[in-house]
Amino acid sequence: MTDLLNRTDRDITHAAELLRAGELVAFGTETVYGLGADAQNPTAVAKIFEAKGRPHFNPLICHYESAEAAFAHVHATPIAEKLADTFWPGPLTLVLPRRITCPVALLAGAGLDTLAIRVPAHPIAQRLIAALGRPIAAPSANRSGRISPTTAAHVLDQLEGRIAAIIDSGPCRVGVESTVLDLSGPTPFLLRPGGVSLEALQANIGEVRQGLTPGQAEAPRTFRSPGLLVSHYAPVLPLRINAAEIAADEALLAFGAPLAGASLVYQLSETSSLHEAASRLFEGLHWLDDHAAARGLRAIAAMKVPDHALGLAINDRLARAAAGQ
Ligand code: TXA
Ligand code: MG
C-alpha cells in the first residue's frame, strides 16, 4: 500500500518518520517528483533501485536543506560557492568530490568518489529534508526507462504499491530535471541540460564545457557521466566474477554460504538477500581492497549472484569492475 499524504505538518512529519525507518517516500520538487530515501541508510537506498527496476546502479542526487549542509559532505570550489549563491535553492545539481568523512551511503553515489548535490526550491522538498534532518537521495520517481513524473498521479501510476508514501505536492513548476554540472575537474562540464540554462551558467561563471567536438585532442571528460561511459569505482585488485571455487591467493566476496577455503571473506548477505547485498556491495569492494593486500592476497573472487531483480544491477556492476582492469 502506498499512502497518499498531503502538505500538512502532520503528514510531513509522518513522511520523515517513514524515511527514518528506511522506507521510500516520493515528494515534489520544482523540477520533477523525486523518489526519496534517507541518503545515509544503504538499505533504504537499495530500495530505490528495487522500486525503479533499474538493471544497473546509477548515482543518485542528494538533496540538502542548504548549501552549507551540502558543502559539509563534499569539497566545494569557489565556482561551486558562486553557483550556489546564485542558483540555490533551485534546479541545479553540482558534482563535487566527496569528503572522506561524507556519511552518505556509497550506493547512493554508485561507488563514485564524487557526489551530486542539490538544494531544491520546492517548499515540500525543503520541509521534508528539514524534518528528516539528513540529506535525501532521490532519482526521478519513475520506473526505469519511463519518463519523469511531474504530478502525484504520474508517480502513483508507476510506483503504487512499491513505495511507502507519496506527498501530493502539486504539479512541478519547472517540469524538466535539474541541470547537472560536473565541477570535479579543471573546467566546469555540463553533464545534463536542465532547469538552469547553459547561458545562465556561462553568464555566472564563464566557460562551461559540453560534449566533445570531433578530433578534440583533450581526454574526454564525459566518462564522468554514467549514462555514457562509466568510470565507477573498481577495486585495485583483480576481480574474478561468478567464482565457484577459490584460489589460495584470493579474497572472497561472498553471497550466501561462503566458498570453502577462503581466508578473507566479505559477506554481502548471509541469507542471500539481493537487497542486502546491493546495500553492501561498494562497502565490500572497498573493504576487500583495503584488507586483502595486507594478508598477501592478490585478487578478489566474487561468488555468483542470481541474475534477477537487484541481482541484475549487482552483476552489471561486478562485470564492469572486472572488465575495467
Ligand atoms: O531534477 C532532478 O534532478 C530530479 C529531482 C528529483 O531532483 N532528479 C533526477 O535524478 O533527475 P536522476 O537520478 O533521474 O538523475 C540524476 C542524474 C543522472 O544522469 C546521473 O547519472 C547524474 O545525475 N549523476 C548523479 N551523481 C553523479 C555523479 N557523481 N557524477 C556524475 N553524474 C552523476
Ligand atoms: Mg531520471
Side-chain angles (χ1 to χ4, degrees):
M1 260 307 288
T2 299
D3 279 351
L4 184 56
L5 303 176
N6 285 303
R7 303 162 208 212
T8 60
D9 284 344
R10 201 166 144 263
D11 274 9
I12 301 281
T13 304
H14 177 56
E17 276 162 9
L18 289 170
L19 289 172
R20 212 167 285 125
E23 299 294 337
L24 302 184
V25 176
F27 61 98
T29 82
E30 71 279 23
T31 57
V32 299
Y33 273 73
L35 176 55
D38 174 354
Q40 295 178 206
N41 178 344
T43 316
V45 173
K47 282 188 187 167
I48 289 180
F49 295 102
E50 217 164 30
K52 282 188 71 101
R54 266 191 187 170
H56 52 88
F57 298 122
N58 262 13
L60 308 175
I61 297 171
C62 285
H63 299 73
Y64 289 83
E65 197 181 350
S66 65
E68 197 190 354
F71 290 158
H73 288 182
V74 296
H75 293 286
T77 59
I79 285 183
E81 278 162 11
K82 188 155 189 243
L83 289 167
D85 275 349
T86 312
F87 296 106
W88 280 354
L92 178 66
T93 295
L94 302 177
V95 174
L96 287 159
R98 286 172 75 114
R99 286 184 193 272
I100 193 103
T101 51
C102 176
V104 168
L106 285 179
L107 183 62
L112 292 168
D113 55 9
T114 54
L115 193 65
I117 55 173
R118 158 161 130 80
V119 177
H122 197 295
I124 296 288
Q126 291 183 345
R127 285 164 65 198
L128 186 62
I129 300 163
L132 178 63
R134 285 208 281 266
I136 297 179
S140 48
N142 51 286
R143 297 267 295 161
S144 182
R146 297 188 52 190
I147 54 167
S148 298
T150 51
T151 65
H154 293 164
V155 179
L156 278 179
D157 180 39
Q158 301 193 36
L159 295 171
E160 175 139 45
R162 306 179 73 93
I163 61 178
I166 170 170
I167 307 173
D168 186 350
S169 320
C172 300
R173 174 171 60 80
V174 178
V176 294
E177 292 94 338
S178 63
T179 301
V180 182
L181 189 68
D182 185 354
L183 296 178
S184 67
T187 311
F189 194 97
L190 184 72
L191 293 178
R192 180 178 74 182
V196 170
S197 72
L198 179 62
E199 291 77 5
L201 292 177
Q202 286 166 332
N204 195 246
I205 57 167
E207 191 191 358
V208 174
R209 299 195 47 209
Q210 45 162 345
L212 286 170
T213 52
Q216 206 163 356
E218 207 174 322
R221 298 208 63 256
T222 39
F223 70 85
R224 292 263 176 207
S225 187
L228 304 163
L229 273 173
V230 187
S231 142
H232 281 182
Y233 170 83
V236 174
L237 293 176
L239 174 70
R240 186 167 69 83
I241 55 177
N242 296 327
E245 80 299 320
I246 181 141
D249 64 352
E250 287 179 324
L252 182 68
L253 187 67
F255 179 77
L259 297 174
S263 60
L264 183 69
V265 177
Y266 187 93
Q267 179 58 267
L268 286 176
S269 173
E270 207 160 357
T271 59
S272 301
S273 151
L274 288 171
H275 179 261
E276 183 183 28
S279 74
R280 291 169 57 78
L281 177 64
F282 295 110
E283 303 287 349
L285 289 172
H286 275 285
W287 190 88
L288 287 173
D289 246 356
D290 288 349
H291 292 83
R295 309 244 189 146
L297 300 173
R298 281 174 229 266
I300 299 171
M303 286 175 66
K304 191 166 172 45
V305 175
D307 237 341
H308 63 84
L310 276 184
L312 281 177
I314 295 171
N315 285 331
D316 167 80
R317 186 59 198 86
L318 285 172
R320 284 167 194 251
Q325 292 168 340

